[in-house]
Each structure stands twice: as C-alpha cells, then as structure tokens.
Amino acid sequence: MQSGRGIILRLTKLSDTSLIVTWCVEGVGLIKTVAKGARRSKGSFSGKIDLFYIADIEWVESRKSELHTLREVCPIEYHEGLRGQYRDVLLAGYFTALAEHVMEFGQSDDEVFDLLRRAINFLNTKGATLRALEHFENELARMTGIWDGRRRSNLAIEDAFGSLPRSRIECLEQLA
C-alpha cells in the first residue's frame, strides 16, 4: 500500500461504475489509479473525486501495469472558488494538462507538484489572468531546465516536448 498527497489532473470513464484518475502525487509524480465504484452515487468515493481536488490518498500498486487501485481518498482542498467562472476552470485544466504533458509517470518532481498546487490555489482565490498563464509556463519551463529566460517559455516548451495542450488557444481567447 502506498500513500501520498495528490492533485487530480484527469478523470476518464473506465466503466459504468468506475473511473481512471490521473494524479500528480507529491514525492511520487504522475500515477493512474482505478477508482472502483466512483461513478455510483452512494459509493465510497462519492463526493471525494473531482478535477483539481487536492487529497490524501492510498493506493495499491499494480505489478502488471501502470494502472493502480485506489483504496482511500480524503479531500483536503475542493477549490469551489474556481468553479464559478468558465475561464478559471479552463485555465486550471490547461495547467494540469501541461504539467501532465511535461512529466513522466513514476518520476517524482515536487517542484512541479508545488507549482501546480499554488497555481490552482491562485485561480481559486484570484481568478484566471494572462499573467498567471505566462507565469505558470515560465516557471514550468525553468523547472524542466529548457528555458534560458530569453525567448518565450511557451515556445521552449513546444520545442522540447513537441507541442502544447490545445486548450492554450482557448485560454488565450478567454483571457484577451
């Protein structure tokens, strides 16, 4: 059994009752877990799993695949404040997609975890801004060692990782 504090990056339907939850876990990195029964209204995960939640979790590692079994979730931060504005949710989604894009499964990067946690907390209290988007990209590019501060960080990320999440275009339109 493993445990840690994680941020929910993505939710994917696995079956009529279960979800695949992609997490960024402090001290661990990216992991995917199966939350059995999470789509049931009266299941043990009911109300405990949603995008951008920060939670203490326990999971059992799979010996056969990268898909582990989620055992326990105890949400710490729900971030209700960012759910009131579409652009806040959109930018939070871009941040999580970009973090997932540059991280590798199973490789811990606590700097990225902390950046993502701070960014989501910022959106929760202050709301989405173009400056927040640029700051996140700058910090992520610096942390991954691909940005020298001279050219635009989004171009450095695109060159190093092949692309940027498509949601960036809509974020720029919403924040203009």
Side-chain angles (χ1 to χ4, degrees):
M1 185 90 66
Q2 297 277 347
S3 64
R5 179 159 293 170
I7 302 169
I8 298 177
L9 306 182
R10 183 190 314 199
L11 300 172
T12 308
K13 180 181 172 182
L14 179 63
S15 69
D16 288 341
T17 60
S18 300
L19 289 171
I20 296 173
V21 185
T22 304
W23 302 84
C24 178
V25 179
E26 188 174 28
V28 177
L30 292 178
I31 66 165
K32 288 184 181 182
T33 61
V34 174
K36 295 178 182 176
R39 300 188 70 219
R40 289 189 187 129
S41 61
K42 295 182 182 180
S44 62
F45 295 123
S46 180
K48 296 180 180 182
I49 296 175
D50 204 355
L51 290 174
F52 321 124
Y53 279 15
I54 297 177
D56 287 332
I57 62 172
E58 291 182 0
W59 70 95
V60 176
E61 282 196 35
S62 171
R63 293 181 184 176
K64 298 179 181 179
S65 75
E66 66 176 24
L67 201 53
H68 312 299
T69 303
L70 188 62
R71 289 286 184 219
E72 190 71 37
V73 177
C74 182
I76 296 168
E77 297 176 41
Y78 295 90
H79 301 111
E80 297 97 351
L82 72 78
R83 295 170 198 283
Q85 294 288 325
Y86 174 69
R87 65 183 188 167
D88 297 344
V89 174
L90 183 66
L91 191 55
Y94 173 67
F95 289 165
T96 59
L98 187 56
E100 185 179 357
H101 186 63
V102 304
M103 294 177 74
E104 293 184 29
F105 279 90
Q107 290 199 340
S108 176
D109 194 332
D110 287 347
E111 270 191 309
V112 175
F113 174 87
D114 187 56
L115 174 66
L116 191 54
R117 183 185 50 77
R118 288 184 291 119
I120 291 172
N121 285 335
F122 178 86
L123 294 175
N124 186 55
T125 57
K126 307 283 189 207
T129 64
L130 184 58
R131 185 173 178 177
L133 181 145
E134 291 170 347
H135 177 76
F136 188 87
E137 289 175 341
N138 290 348
E139 287 299 297
L140 192 60
R142 182 190 58 75
M143 288 173 185
T144 55
I146 60 169
W147 189 50
D148 58 11
R150 290 190 290 247
R151 64 189 285 216
R152 295 177 54 117
S153 59
N154 63 303
L155 298 176
I157 293 169
E158 195 169 24
D159 287 347
F161 296 98
S163 65
L164 291 169
R166 290 184 300 225
S167 59
R168 184 179 195 273
I169 294 167
E170 191 174 356
C171 286
L172 292 174
E173 290 170 356
Q174 289 287 319
L175 298 173

